[in-house]
Amino acid sequence: MEKVPEVKNIKYGGANIISLEKGKIPPQATDLEEVVLGAMMIDKKGVDEIIDILNPDVFYKEAHQYIFEAIYKLFQNSEPIDLLTVSSQLKKDAKLEVAGGDYYLIQLTQKVASSAHIEFHARIILQKYIQRSLIKISNEIIEEAYDETSDVFDLLDAAESKLYEVTQGNIKRSTETAQSLVIQAKKKIQEISNKEGLSGIPSGFDKLDKLTSGWQPSDLIIVAARPGMGKTALTLSMARNMAVGQNIPVAFFSLEMSSVQLITRLISSETGLSSEKLRTGKLEKHEWEQLNVKVKDLEKAPLFIDDTPSLSIFDLRAKARRLASQHGIKMIVIDYLQLMTAGGSGKNGNREQEISTISRNLKALAKELEVPVIALSQLSRAVETRGGSKRPLLSDLRESGAIEQDADIVAFIYRPEYYKIDEWDDEERSPTQGQGEFIVAKHRNGGLDNIRLKFIGHLGKFDNLDDFGTPFEFHSKMNDGNEEEPFSTSHFPSADEAFGSSLNDSNDDEDEVPF
């Protein structure tokens, strides 16, 4: 017969009680909560040190939550914080009695002599709160996992999202007051004034950055074009400008090209060596030296490339969260949206509904991580069947109107040279060779514009149109050794020399492209 464990009894006050040694009590540090609240009421310096670390929810005792909330309100209103003002604020909130009354407030101030070590104490309180949050989340995950009707991929995504919030220490509040938002906005405006008007991540293209003030956190940017227009070249140029030029961590998810192919493009752009030479490996001695010297900055750049094919939105979100947590990425690029899958249980309906799910989740990811997400997209063949300049329109977005709806910015890449159009359709009738246009067709928080860029086909890169200070344009393509010959746009490579998508030669009708 199995032995029944004995219950340990302890004599206390003449009565037997059951021992609580094996019981479970939520992690807490109520003694430190008392010390921290007391220090905040006797020393203003203590308030300044921890007011942005704690919030009412982190306190274990309900009375302490009410007291901290009163202190926080006084701080927001720039009013003095002491025993009397906190008591008065609690009376206004009708919380004085449930907070323990004046006698309890007096006790708190008597427990401490100064605010020394208050930040250290506050961090411990926060740690205990995180532990309680983890226990709560774990219990929810266990309960949901037993539910046979739940989709396992949805459970994994929800679990990882909750754990990511705890990891970041930013358990979200449901609402914020106008006052706190105004303070945040004023702080942001001050930061912008110190960055020459750029409030977001600079793309490296001057006119584009002037229009957008940089790519904004939590924005979804759709960059769409027909195959061969240079979608990958443009976003790689942006990623290079950010990661190499400004040391901004960037995550690049490539579903079409391998990571080695992408880095080879960047090497070509960085060194000025043509793609053909890098593909064949036929380099002169001085070109090998050029290669070794000029890739050093690229080697050190915080650029993270993932070339997982047929990536699902679930896997993307999981990878992006890890990159944000481990490397602090500030920008995500996806090349390209139509090659993604929605994942999950396969109940997403037709392809249009699946694309809607993907674009909606990309916007949610941008908001969750508070980083801009650039997703490349294909355009339908309607562009090619039109006459005239063949400029793309919003109606040309492929497979789903939800892409346009979810995106904060929709932009197109247009190179008339690709369609054998030699002159721009403007008053100057300037030549189109070696040029492209970045068309901002939708901008939720700003204006629209058509921005001309320089396209350097043999290097697979875009650059500022009026920036001729870099050496790459002059490499092997210019003047053909004749120093007296003036500069001409005719020295730029033709569209046929450009890096092309692997889909360039494919017949990509709506129902023929294998997604």
Side-chain angles (χ1 to χ4, degrees), residues 341-357:
T341 62
S345 59
K347 299 176 183 178
N348 298 296
N350 59 34
R351 183 58 181 166
E352 184 172 338
Q353 291 172 327
E354 193 172 11
I355 290 292
S356 298
T357 300

Side-chain angles (χ1 to χ4, degrees), residues 96-119:
L96 181 58
E97 293 306 317
V98 290
D102 289 332
Y103 179 72
Y104 187 65
L105 294 179
I106 294 169
Q107 278 188 314
L108 292 178
T109 58
Q110 290 177 340
K111 286 181 178 290
V112 64
S114 72
S115 63
H117 313 302
I118 189 171
E119 185 177 349

Side-chain angles (χ1 to χ4, degrees), residues 227-228 256 336 339 378 500-508 513-515:
E256 182 183 15
Y336 59 91
L339 291 180
Q378 288 278 37
S501 164
S502 63
L503 299 184
N504 283 2
D505 302 322
S506 65
N507 183 3
D508 57 350
V513 178
F515 287 132

